[in-house]
Amino acid sequence: MSDPSAASRPVQAVVLAGGQGSRLRPYTDDRPKPMVEIPGTGTPIIGHQLSWLAEEGVTDVVVSCGHLAEVLQKWLETADLPVSVTTVVESEPLGRGGGLKYAAAHLPRPDQPWYATNGDIWTRFSLRDMADFHTERDAVATLALARPRLPWGAVKTDGFGRITDFIEAPPSTFEINAGVYVFSPEFAGLLPDRGDHERTTFPRLARERKLAGFTIPQGSYWRAIDTAKDLTEAAKELAALGR
């Protein structure tokens, strides 16, 4: 028996892979951030992302390249990929929103919904569930939300100011934008030609109650790879998960 909600789930995605990755140097001296390998896996971050997208039903991906684009393009041309990939390169910086709009214009099905992900995110959760959540709320855009672990230990105190406990790297009390999205077809038309959609399009949609937030399920893996320490931690966590 077919699943009626499957028809509204995206089969296309944009990966934003143009970042400089300056905080990941020297790893990013000769490659863009998404091409940095997670130690012990032998696969760059973007390779993990494309596998995940394929597992979630995606067939076509547009990769927006920037810094050292030719290195990423060469890898994509030679790798055995589970999805069909098109690359685009901005001839001039368009900003995050403009870059997303430019990439979206190359999606094969402009009249259908699409996923997007930042090129430095390493995660595993059900995009199908997120797409259904998006549809149920009649949203134009849905952001995945994560509760990252703080990089410091925390302390608990009682009402008298006495320390009662130490907590190693507790989760944040706030949810953050996890860098993974579901967008309805009309979203691309709301993006700026240049500039940052997180300061223009997203606040506008929030005011119109058309912006939803999907909390990544507890126990699902999520990490932004920003620094060398993140690479080390990701390798440890993946080893613990047996992946």
Side-chain angles (χ1 to χ4, degrees):
M1 195 167 162
S2 63
D3 182 351
S5 56
S8 60
R9 292 174 189 153
V11 294
Q12 56 187 355
V14 168
V15 175
L16 297 169
Q20 293 269 347
S22 53
R23 289 200 292 161
L24 260 175
R25 286 186 177 136
Y27 297 100
T28 49
D29 284 345
D30 62 353
R31 69 196 63 195
K33 200 175 183 184
M35 278 301 298
V36 173
E37 288 185 10
I38 306 234
T41 69
T43 304
I45 298 165
I46 194 165
H48 292 287
Q49 289 187 323
L50 294 175
S51 294
W52 174 51
L53 289 169
E55 288 165 14
E56 293 295 324
V58 171
T59 57
D60 294 274
V61 176
V62 176
V63 178
S64 176
C65 310
H67 174 64
L68 296 173
E70 64 283 356
V71 178
L72 178 51
Q73 287 172 318
K74 186 175 180 183
W75 182 83
L76 289 168
E77 284 165 11
T78 56
D80 183 17
L81 302 176
V83 290
S84 174
V85 172
T86 304
T87 60
V88 296
V89 184
E90 298 167 28
S91 55
E92 56 182 328
L94 300 173
R96 289 193 296 179
L100 188 58
K101 186 172 191 172
Y102 181 68
H106 293 79
L107 287 167
R109 302 170 187 87
D111 58 339
Q112 292 182 21
W114 46 293
Y115 296 116
T117 178
N118 295 345
D120 58 357
I121 301 297
W122 171 216
T123 187
R124 279 290 189 281
F125 65 90
S126 173
L127 282 174
R128 291 180 175 92
D129 287 351
M130 185 176 171
D132 293 348
F133 178 95
H134 172 84
T135 302
E136 286 159 10
R137 278 146 191 82
D138 194 27
V140 172
T142 297
L143 286 60
L145 305 177
R147 207 179 284 272
R149 293 203 164 273
L150 298 175
W152 318 281
V155 294
K156 275 190 173 177
T157 57
D158 64 15
F160 294 100
R162 289 184 292 242
I163 291 174
T164 59
D165 200 4
F166 291 89
I167 306 159
E168 186 62 35
S172 164
T173 53
F174 291 99
E175 291 179 315
I176 65 161
N177 178 352
V180 180
Y181 312 90
V182 182
F183 296 133
S184 293
E186 65 267 33
F187 178 76
L190 304 176
L191 286 164
D193 293 328
R194 289 173 184 274
D196 189 347
H197 60 294
E198 294 194 11
R199 298 186 179 191
T200 54
T201 312
F202 280 173
R204 174 184 159 190
L205 289 174
R207 288 192 299 271
E208 295 171 358
R209 299 292 186 268
K210 291 288 187 180
L211 188 66
F214 174 82
T215 301
I216 294 174
Q218 197 169 2
S220 297
Y221 187 78
W222 179 89
R223 180 175 282 277
I225 309 293
D226 287 322
T227 65
K229 185 180 178 188
D230 289 323
L231 278 177
T232 309
E233 292 297 319
K236 277 190 213 163
E237 289 160 354
L238 293 176
L241 290 168
R243 288 180 179 164

